Every structure is written in structure tokens, then in C-alpha cells.
Amino acid sequence: MTDAPTACLLIIGDEILSGRTQDANLKFLGERLAAMGIRLKEARVIPDVPDVIVETLNTVRALYTYVFTTGGIGPTHDDITTACVARAFGRKVIRHPEAVKKLVAYYGHVPNDARLKMAETPDGPDVALIENRATAAPGFRIANVFVMAGIPSIARAMFEAIAPLLKGGDPMFSSHVDAEIKEGDIAAELTAIQEKYPHVSIGSYPFAREGRFAVSIVARATDKAAIAAALNEVAAVMTSKGATPTLGD
Amino acid sequence: MTDAPTACLLIIGDEILSGRTQDANLKFLGERLAAMGIRLKEARVIPDVPDVIVETLNTVRALYTYVFTTGGIGPTHDDITTACVARAFGRKVIRHPEAVKKLVAYYGHVPNDARLKMAETPDGPDVALIENRATAAPGFRIANVFVMAGIPSIARAMFEAIAPLLKGGDPMFSSHVDAEIKEGDIAAELTAIQEKYPHVSIGSYPFAREGRFAVSIVARATDKAAIAAALNEVAAVMTSKGATPTLGD
């Protein structure tokens, strides 16, 4: 477990920080990476400010096995991610010949300069395009950094294109047991169960069900048997307090 | 504008990074802070790992006027935010007498030790409770850090309780103009308009409308007249290309 690959998601865009747009890429990437055994350790949402993008990228690409970025690779003036990634790596920006070909094929002619910006990547032998079947404008990989679109449907398609290239680790499994009980009524027992199963990460998440207090106890681990054992103990505690637990994945 | 107060949101919780839970606090806080003239400059999502929480908090509280945290202040073993905030400030954790009173009043008796954990705060004269009308368990403020619940309804109530205490700046306004046109067809003109209005931040966000390409051009600034002037120019460009722009807030 200790040497599982790690990852960071950089969400680039004023529209997320202003509250205009609800990010949907973190949840998707979190789920997919967990299933692949890659530990998403951090996500940062940063504005469309070149110095911030460059500095943040250089910080996180040194910390994690993989860095995924979303946002800022379109044709307009506010799409500055590619230029910033190139700057972070000390590279020139080039028009990637293969990307130009894809755009020409998509549009049926050589597109205007704005659209040709979508064929730009940093220069270097470690740069490879990420396929985009939706609009042809590709993302790209440079070293351990994967530069993807912000639009969720395109980000997802790009991730699936690169997923086979990522080195995974032991998949992280998770299951949960829910009951209509207040988490404060089982907290002491939960602490004991967590201590008994140190390799299972047990989280307690209260929620409301038809106006009544309920809690979801989530267990995450690479060992399914350990998850089941821990959650069975949680369920027994819930039952002993008069609640009716239900187990789920 | 240059001296507008700044803010960072720290979203604390494995459940967000694992993709189990969709964060809803960033969008809310982004909108509210923008309206108050506080610039949300960054959000970080970090796991339930004490060293990470302490180190990240100490980094961001030195960078920004205000830091808001969400998550990890409940009664269970995985609620470690309060202890980590205290450690970041080099303070002891105490049972805050006023918070204990609130919990006793809410439950009608002295609650168990797990629930009394929700009355804990760092020690010090700069610590003040943040009211929670939903479940009585308060958040707290220490210096420029506001520690709030993760559950969105409670986080929102806590934010409204502290909003009057925050020093705002010039509110950031935003409007948009939408049209069924590809952003690549107006990108050059948008660049020129952005250069003409350097104090207006113009963003271009493509979307699909009934399967057709559309774009929303968003202008953000403290000056409503400048927003209107810039967007009128954008609308004129859209019209000149055969599209029918609609303006909105």
C-alpha cells in the first residue's frame, strides 16, 4: 500500500472559484483513480493567473506520481493552460503536427488561428497527445502531467484514453453500512473498531433520511475481507442500539 | 481592487477525494464571497491526514486574508480538524464552556464524550464560536481561520452567521451573453475586446444546447458599466456572425 502511485488534480478556472460553474471532474477522477489503485491525495482549484498556474504545477508535479489538469485548453484568450504548462517545464510552445492534422480532418479545412491554438503543446520528446473524440482538439501529456479539457464529458473521454497508460496499484475498495442512528451514539465503538482495523479507513458521514438522523459508515481498504469484517462489527453495534443497519457497496 | 480581501477554502475530507461525495461548498462560498467583494483565490481539497491538514493550513493562512475550512468537526474518530487547527496554531485543545452549554441545552442533558468533542476548540482569546442552528454543535473562528461543518446546509448556515464579521471589498459583478455560435468563430474578436477592457475579466465557456454548439461569454468586474460595454461589443460580434445573442446576469 505504501508505494501506491499518487495523484493530484489541478482544476484551472476562474469560473469554478467564482461559483459560476460546479466542478464535476473531481468526483469522477476520484472514483476512477481509486478503482485503479492510484491515490488521489489532493485537488487544487486555481484561477486563470499564469504565475499561479506555473508555480502550482511545478509544486505538485514534484510531489505526486501523476498530475491531472482540467480547464483552459480551448481556442479563446482565456485558455492559457498550455502556455503555462510549457513555461513550467521551460519549454517552447509548438503547433503539434499531429494535432493540426486532427483539426484539419475535423473541420474539413485549415481552421483559423484561434482554433489552431488548440493544436499547441509544449515542445519535447516526452509530449504525447491525448485523444478527444468529441471535438478533435486533443489534450496532451508531458512527463507526469496530463492536460485535459474542463468540460466534464470531454475530460472523461480524455481520461479513458490515458487510463491504460497509467500504472495502478492495489485497488482501493469501499463498502458502507447505513442506519438511522446518530453518529454520536456509536462514536466510541467506532473508535475501537478503527483501532482494531488500522489498515481500514473508516469514515462516518451523517445524513438526513426523511427528516430523521442517519449515518453512513464507509470503510475503505485494499483488503475486501478486512472491510467486511470491520463493517460487520459496525453493523452489530448499530443493531445493539436498536437500529437496523443496511450494508452496501 | 488590488487591496480586496482574499480567501482560500480548505475542503477537508477523504470522502471528497475518493469521489464518494460531491463537494457543494465551493460553489456556494465562491458565489457568496464574490458578492461580498472577497476574492476566493484558491481552494484545496485535502485528506484526513493530520500532518497534511496542519501544514496546508499554515501555508494558506499566511497567504490569504481569510481561510475557510469545511469538514471534520463531528463527534467521531475521523473528525480531526479541530485538533489539527489547534496544532497549526500551537494551541491546546479545550472544551469551550459556551459550546458545552449549547450542547447541553440541545440534548437536554450532558452528552457523551464523543458529542462533547464537538464542544472542543483551540485555546486562546482570539477563538470565537460560530453558531450552528441546525444541530447546536458550533464551528469556530481562530484568527483569520473559520472552521465550519462539511454538511452543506450547516456550512451555509455557519457562513451566514460569520458573514457580517467579514470585511468585504468592492463587490465583483458578473453578466453574460450567450449565443449558438462556436467560440472558435469569435475568439479573435474576444481577444481584442479583452484587450480594450483590461479591468473586465472575460471568460468564454462553450456548452451544448439541444445538441448544438453554444457559448456563454462571462464578464466579471467591479464596474457594472464596463461589464455592459464589453458584453455589448461581444453581442455585436455574435450578431455580425449571424447568431442571436441573449444577455443575462
Side-chain angles (χ1 to χ4, degrees):
Chain A
M1 269 185 69
T2 47
D3 59 352
T6 59
C8 175
L9 171 61
L10 271 195
I11 298 168
I12 302 170
D14 291 345
E15 72 278 17
I16 307 290
L17 290 170
S18 72
R20 179 186 174 274
T21 301
Q22 168 71 56
D23 168 71
N25 292 322
L26 169 55
K27 182 172 161 61
F28 168 75
L29 212 69
E31 286 177 345
R32 287 290 283 117
L33 291 173
M36 295 169 68
I38 297 170
R39 309 281 178 261
L40 183 61
K41 292 282 195 180
E42 182 176 6
R44 295 195 194 189
V45 188
I46 57 174
D48 297 325
V49 176
D51 288 351
V52 173
I53 298 171
V54 170
E55 193 182 319
T56 306
L57 180 61
N58 278 336
T59 298
V60 299
R61 72 187 177 93
L63 291 173
Y64 301 107
T65 315
Y66 300 118
V67 174
F68 303 90
T69 78
T70 58
I73 61 168
T76 53
H77 65 279
D78 55 329
D79 290 305
I80 59 176
T81 298
T82 300
C84 292
V85 172
R87 220 181 94 194
F89 279 86
R91 307 278 180 90
K92 284 190 307 186
V93 172
I94 59 157
R95 262 187 204 165
H96 195 289
E98 193 187 332
V100 172
K101 255 189 230 169
K102 283 174 191 286
L103 291 175
V104 170
Y106 179 79
Y107 290 106
H109 55 81
V110 177
N112 65 26
D113 277 353
R115 291 203 171 100
L116 281 173
K117 191 164 82 118
M118 297 191 289
E120 289 177 352
T121 67
D123 196 11
D126 54 351
V127 174
L129 299 183
I130 300 175
E131 190 180 0
N132 167 10
R133 292 184 192 184
T135 67
F140 61 88
R141 170 189 190 159
I142 175 169
N144 64 333
V145 177
F146 296 81
V147 176
M148 310 192 298
I151 297 177
S153 59
I154 301 179
R156 286 167 199 208
M158 286 183 174
F159 182 80
E160 298 309 338
I162 56 180
L165 309 174
L166 304 174
K167 185 181 147 51
D170 293 338
M172 185 67 80
F173 300 108
S174 101
S175 297
H176 61 98
V177 55
D178 298 354
E180 284 181 14
I181 191 168
K182 295 180 184 174
E183 61 174 350
D185 286 326
I186 56 170
E189 292 85 348
L190 277 183
T191 302
I193 296 169
Q194 175 66 84
E195 284 167 2
K196 183 170 168 188
Y197 296 93
H199 299 302
V200 179
S201 168
I202 300 175
S204 173
Y205 305 109
F207 65 100
R209 180 188 281 168
E210 294 167 13
R212 296 188 297 274
F213 288 102
V215 68
S216 187
I217 305 301
V218 177
R220 302 179 73 242
T222 54
D223 177 354
K224 279 187 173 178
I227 291 175
L231 287 186
N232 281 337
E233 295 204 23
V234 174
V237 169
M238 290 168 161
T239 303
S240 76
K241 309 235 172 190
T244 307
T246 54
L247 287 148
D249 283 328
Chain B
M1 269 186 70
T2 47
D3 58 353
T6 59
C8 175
L9 171 61
L10 270 194
I11 298 169
I12 302 170
D14 291 344
E15 74 278 17
I16 307 291
L17 289 170
S18 73
R20 179 186 175 274
T21 301
Q22 169 70 56
D23 168 69
N25 293 320
L26 169 55
K27 182 173 161 61
F28 168 76
L29 212 69
E31 286 176 346
R32 287 289 285 117
L33 292 173
M36 296 169 66
I38 298 170
R39 310 282 178 259
L40 183 61
K41 293 282 196 182
E42 182 177 4
R44 295 196 194 188
V45 188
I46 56 174
D48 298 325
V49 176
D51 288 351
V52 173
I53 298 172
V54 169
E55 191 181 319
T56 306
L57 180 61
N58 278 336
T59 298
V60 298
R61 72 187 176 92
L63 290 174
Y64 302 106
T65 315
Y66 300 118
V67 174
F68 302 91
T69 78
T70 57
I73 61 169
T76 52
H77 64 280
D78 55 329
D79 290 305
I80 59 175
T81 297
T82 300
C84 292
V85 172
R87 221 181 94 195
F89 279 87
R91 307 279 180 89
K92 282 190 310 185
V93 172
I94 60 156
R95 262 185 204 165
H96 195 290
E98 194 187 330
V100 173
K101 255 189 230 169
K102 283 175 191 286
L103 291 175
V104 170
Y106 178 80
Y107 290 107
H109 56 81
V110 177
N112 64 26
D113 277 352
R115 291 202 170 99
L116 281 173
K117 189 163 83 115
M118 295 191 291
E120 290 178 352
T121 69
D123 196 10
D126 54 350
V127 174
L129 299 183
I130 300 175
E131 191 182 358
N132 166 9
R133 291 184 192 183
T135 66
F140 62 87
R141 171 190 189 157
I142 173 169
N144 63 334
V145 177
F146 296 82
V147 176
M148 310 193 297
I151 296 176
S153 59
I154 301 179
R156 286 167 199 209
M158 286 184 174
F159 181 80
E160 297 309 337
I162 56 181
L165 309 174
L166 303 174
K167 185 181 148 48
D170 294 338
M172 187 64 85
F173 301 108
S174 101
S175 296
H176 60 98
V177 56
D178 298 355
E180 283 181 13
I181 192 168
K182 294 180 185 175
E183 62 174 350
D185 285 327
I186 56 170
E189 292 85 351
L190 277 183
T191 302
I193 296 170
Q194 175 66 83
E195 283 167 3
K196 182 171 170 188
Y197 297 93
H199 298 301
V200 179
S201 168
I202 299 175
S204 174
Y205 306 108
F207 64 100
R209 181 188 279 167
E210 295 169 12
R212 293 188 300 274
F213 288 102
V215 68
S216 186
I217 305 300
V218 177
R220 303 177 73 242
T222 55
D223 178 355
K224 280 186 174 180
I227 290 174
L231 287 187
N232 282 337
E233 296 205 25
V234 174
V237 169
M238 290 168 161
T239 302
S240 77
K241 308 233 172 193
T244 306
T246 54
L247 286 147
D249 283 329

